Amino acid sequence: MPIPEDVTGEEIDKDVRQELQSLPKTLADDVARNLVMVARLLDEDPEGAYGYSRVALRLASRVAAVREAAGFAAYASQKYGEALAEFRAAKRMTGNIDLWPVMADCERGLGRPEKALDMAGAPEVHKLDKAGQVEMRLVAAGARRDMGQLDAAIVTLQSPELAANSVQPWTARLRYAYADALLAAGRESEAREWFAKAVEADRDGSTDASDRLAELDGVEFMDAMVEDDGDENDGDENDEAPATPQADDDEGENQKD
């Protein structure tokens, strides 16, 4: 697959670069450039990222970083069986437990939520850092929902991390998942509160919490460019819709910190 000339391979993480030093230099450079393309395309073009990951895998299947990158590319492309196999391979090579939550989520993707819950209760979870433990909680809650256990999903998400006022990298997603579970259970008022809290924490727009909150508030964004049927002198002040959000109800007094 073609790689843009501006991609040198030097852009990759230094730890990955160090792993590639076990390869001949020319081969290491080729693998590095393909890994850069995987990272570059993963969010916007998962299938493209997957293609580059397969090239890297053919070139250096014995490098753990390559197996991990291939796993994430397959995961983003919803190829959960392949992703799980690659993550397992990377874990065997390194002994690193960090991939445990995404491996459990692959089990969900394969229609095996019970297996994901088994993994959530495994000893490996205690070896995860705080971010990994929160991710595992999110996966477990998702598995509960897969099984139709909404109340259990809500309880699973209730944690010190959810209650904390400080904003961490996982805060927005955790609050969002909790709000979504509450809404699915018919607890709309509580869901609105937690979507609002998710918006407060979502500094990089990683969720659509603001859109979900607007939906609950009945906000409609009207088109400012409304045709007046060609009658320029009609004078009817209702010919043009305002360019500001219109709400069914005045929710201002219900905003919560």
Side-chain angles (χ1 to χ4, degrees), residues 69-116:
F72 278 110
Y75 177 79
S77 302
Q78 299 184 4
K79 298 175 175 63
Y80 298 115
E82 284 187 39
L84 186 57
E86 298 302 339
F87 290 142
R88 284 173 173 167
K91 180 177 175 293
R92 282 195 304 270
M93 291 176 177
T94 65
N96 194 328
I97 205 65
D98 291 350
L99 295 171
W100 196 252
V102 72
M103 289 168 64
D105 207 37
C106 286
E107 296 287 2
R108 285 186 60 212
L110 291 168
R112 301 193 292 243
E114 298 89 350
K115 178 62 176 175

Side-chain angles (χ1 to χ4, degrees), residues 1-248:
M1 297 178 67
I3 297 176
E5 293 183 3
D6 66 315
V7 175
T8 66
E10 295 296 330
E11 302 89 340
I12 63 172
D13 183 87
K14 63 180 182 179
D15 292 335
V16 177
R17 168 61 68 177
Q18 188 171 1
E19 275 195 67
L20 296 178
Q21 287 180 356
S22 62
L23 304 173
K25 186 179 187 310
T26 301
L27 180 58
D29 289 343
D30 287 343
V31 174
R33 295 179 72 215
N34 278 281
L35 292 181
V36 170
M37 293 305 298
V38 172
R40 181 177 289 188
L41 298 176
L42 193 61
D43 292 331
E44 296 182 0
D45 181 11
E47 288 296 335
Y50 176 76
Y52 284 105
S53 76
R54 300 307 295 179
V55 175
L57 199 57
R58 287 197 299 270
L59 295 174
S61 63
R62 295 184 180 181
V63 176
V66 172
R67 304 302 290 265
E68 184 173 328
F72 278 110
Y75 177 79
S77 302
Q78 299 184 4
K79 298 175 175 63
Y80 298 115
E82 284 187 39
L84 186 57
E86 298 302 339
F87 290 142
R88 284 173 173 167
K91 180 177 175 293
R92 282 195 304 270
M93 291 176 177
T94 65
N96 194 328
I97 205 65
D98 291 350
L99 295 171
W100 196 252
V102 72
M103 289 168 64
D105 207 37
C106 286
E107 296 287 2
R108 285 186 60 212
L110 291 168
R112 301 193 292 243
E114 298 89 350
K115 178 62 176 175
L117 286 177
D118 287 344
M119 294 179 69
E124 285 84 351
V125 175
H126 300 294
K127 301 176 184 178
L128 295 169
D129 61 13
K130 181 63 69 177
Q133 290 179 6
V134 170
E135 195 65 34
M136 193 72 248
R137 189 177 292 276
L138 287 166
V139 173
R144 291 292 185 189
R145 290 190 63 173
D146 293 343
M147 298 166 68
Q149 300 173 2
L150 279 174
D151 289 341
I154 290 169
V155 171
T156 298
L157 293 168
Q158 292 171 346
S159 62
E161 293 79 21
L162 179 68
N165 291 323
S166 62
V167 174
Q168 303 294 336
W170 58 76
T171 303
R173 292 178 59 239
L174 186 57
R175 292 177 180 179
Y176 182 95
Y178 189 58
D180 193 48
L182 288 168
L183 188 61
R187 295 160 62 175
E188 185 172 315
S189 176
E190 294 172 86
R192 190 209 171 281
E193 175 185 353
W194 282 96
F195 276 126
K197 289 183 177 182
V199 171
E200 292 174 1
D202 194 1
R203 296 167 179 171
D204 59 358
S206 62
T207 74
D208 65 347
S210 60
D211 293 338
R212 301 292 299 278
L213 183 61
E215 289 176 9
L216 288 174
D217 285 348
V219 175
E220 297 178 3
F221 293 92
M222 306 299 291
D223 188 348
M225 304 298 291
V226 177
E227 297 287 343
D228 63 358
D229 295 327
D231 187 357
E232 296 179 0
N233 299 316
D234 184 77
D236 187 346
E237 63 184 7
N238 294 321
D239 281 348
E240 293 188 3
T244 55
Q246 302 298 305
D248 294 338

